[in-house]
């Protein structure tokens, strides 16, 4: 079941394409017959499509997704695409590159950043803050002879397990021209749907929230964090067959942020 008011986003379309290539039906666990909502991937009794919050942002995301990532109901790259309209998603393969991905990386409106831990990268490529607009424009002059001020940040996220992400990073030469943004999160990951050996390994949507905050998109960053909390609540309650409390703290916080976003949108329209 998919809410007709919510058109399929990039990750949803990538998942559909991945299923079309499958040689046998994909059956997700959950519900008496495994029925899941096409809009949020949760079992129908715990659907959270009504909580989807779309917030236009200046920043964009490019998700490079491992082969099976789109099929996992616990994948959080989906949540980024739910929230940020300018989210593009591509399946990663070692031997071929989607021409649309190369076109995106070459689009002059964007300044791409590969988001990856700096400890695994040559120091000269690593940055911890976004490039100033002046530096971005100057770099563009050096490459093409034309300056474009105020490029939009495009965060390239490797949506995969840690071992898969390292492989994607090492075997994607088209990422070499771009700076590596190394995040320095203060918080421990709150993600509960998969286990990691290290507390500083964040899930994809947690990384995206940090990127949005770094880009000055505070409301979007907070909303994505709250949206992840609500998704986690729905997912775990569905797994345990527990009834949802739509007035608990995660839902109240997301409800408040949605109201704030709505008020901001009305003010911008009046201006």
């Amino acid at each position: 079941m998919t809410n007709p008011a919510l058109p399929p986003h990039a990750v949803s379309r990538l998942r559909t394409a991945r299923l079309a290539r499958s040689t046998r039906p994909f059956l997700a666990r959950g519900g008496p017959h495994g029925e899941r909502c096409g809009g949020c991937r949760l079992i129908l009794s715990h659907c959270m499509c009504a909580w989807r919050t779309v917030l236009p942002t200046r920043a964009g995301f490019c998700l490079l997704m491992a082969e099976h990532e789109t099929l996992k109901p616990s994948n959080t790259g989906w949540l980024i695409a739910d929230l940020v309209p300018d989210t593009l998603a591509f399946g990663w393969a070692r031997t071929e590159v989607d021409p649309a991905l190369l076109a995106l990386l070459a689009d002059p409106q964007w300044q791409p950043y590969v988001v990856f831990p700096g400890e695994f990268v040559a120091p000269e490529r690593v940055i911890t803050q976004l490039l100033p607009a002046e530096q971005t424009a100057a770099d563009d002059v050096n490459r093409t002879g034309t300056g474009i001020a105020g490029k939009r940040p495009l965060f390239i996220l490797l949506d995969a397990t840690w071992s898969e992400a390292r492989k994607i990073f090492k075997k994607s030469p088209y990422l070499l021209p771009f700076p590596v943004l190394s995040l320095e999160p203060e918080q421990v990951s709150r993600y509960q749907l998969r286990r990691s050996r290290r507390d500083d390994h964040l899930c994809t949507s947690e990384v995206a929230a940090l990127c949005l905050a770094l880009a000055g998109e505070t409301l979007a960053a907070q909303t994505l964090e709250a949206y992840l909390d609500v998704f986690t609540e729905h997912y775990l309650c569905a797994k345990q067959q527990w009834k949802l409390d739509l007035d608990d703290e995660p839902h109240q916080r997301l409800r408040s942020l949605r109201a704030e976003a709505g008020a901001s949108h009305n003010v911008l329209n009046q201006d």
Side-chain angles (χ1 to χ4, degrees):
M1 180 179 66
T2 303
N3 188 333
L6 305 175
H9 51 56
V11 180
S12 176
R13 294 193 299 270
L14 191 62
R15 182 179 187 275
T16 299
R18 174 65 181 82
L19 287 171
R21 296 197 309 272
S22 298
T23 57
R24 57 183 180 179
F26 173 73
L27 299 176
R29 291 175 293 179
H33 303 290
E35 305 100 331
R36 288 178 178 265
C37 173
C40 64
R41 305 155 298 153
L42 295 171
I43 63 173
L44 302 184
S45 60
H46 289 67
C47 171
M48 62 171 285
C49 286
W51 294 88
R52 179 177 172 184
T53 304
V54 180
L55 281 180
T57 61
R58 188 169 181 273
F61 289 94
C62 171
L63 305 180
L64 295 186
M65 306 187 73
E67 174 69 11
H68 301 295
E69 201 62 41
T70 58
L71 300 181
K72 299 175 181 177
S74 59
N75 172 268
T76 65
W78 188 288
L79 305 183
I80 303 168
D82 272 351
L83 184 85
V84 179
D86 285 323
T87 298
L88 291 303
F90 302 91
W92 184 84
R94 184 179 60 83
T95 57
E96 58 183 343
V97 186
D98 189 329
L101 169 59
L102 299 180
L104 172 67
L105 298 179
D107 188 331
Q109 74 169 305
W110 297 110
Q111 170 56 58
Y113 297 91
V114 184
V115 183
F116 200 74
E119 61 189 292
F120 301 101
V121 186
E124 59 271 19
R125 286 189 68 193
V126 177
I127 60 174
T128 57
Q129 299 291 328
L130 301 192
L131 299 175
E134 296 79 11
Q135 181 176 346
T136 300
D139 288 345
D140 193 69
V141 170
N142 293 335
R143 288 197 307 271
T144 68
T146 59
I148 301 177
K151 284 192 172 187
R152 301 171 64 190
L154 179 70
F155 299 108
I156 303 171
L157 306 185
L158 312 184
D159 195 4
T161 65
W162 174 234
S163 59
E164 290 171 332
R166 293 184 69 174
K167 179 180 179 181
I168 293 172
F169 184 83
K170 290 180 179 180
K171 297 184 180 295
S172 302
Y174 47 86
L175 299 180
L176 285 173
F178 308 117
V180 174
L181 179 63
S182 181
L183 301 174
E184 300 174 342
E186 297 178 357
Q187 82 272 19
V188 172
S189 175
R190 303 199 309 272
Y191 184 57
Q192 304 174 50
L193 307 186
R194 297 189 216 168
R195 294 181 180 178
S196 175
R197 295 180 180 179
R198 289 175 52 172
D199 288 338
D200 59 345
H201 280 181
L202 306 180
C203 73
T204 306
S205 69
E206 287 177 317
V207 172
L210 290 174
C211 291
L212 288 169
L214 204 59
E217 307 269 10
T218 304
L219 179 58
Q222 293 175 345
T223 304
L224 183 55
E225 289 176 345
Y227 192 54
L228 171 63
D229 288 342
V230 167
F231 173 71
T232 301
E233 187 81 6
H234 281 240
Y235 188 101
L236 293 178
C237 284
K239 187 175 182 180
Q240 300 296 331
Q241 297 185 342
W242 292 338
K243 185 178 179 180
L244 284 164
D245 178 3
L246 300 183
D247 290 317
D248 63 6
E249 193 279 332
H251 288 88
Q252 287 189 25
R253 181 165 184 261
L254 181 56
R255 189 179 289 116
S256 174
L257 289 164
R258 283 158 56 99
E260 183 178 345
S264 299
H265 179 72
N266 290 337
V267 169
L268 290 174
N269 285 342
Q270 290 173 3
D271 291 345

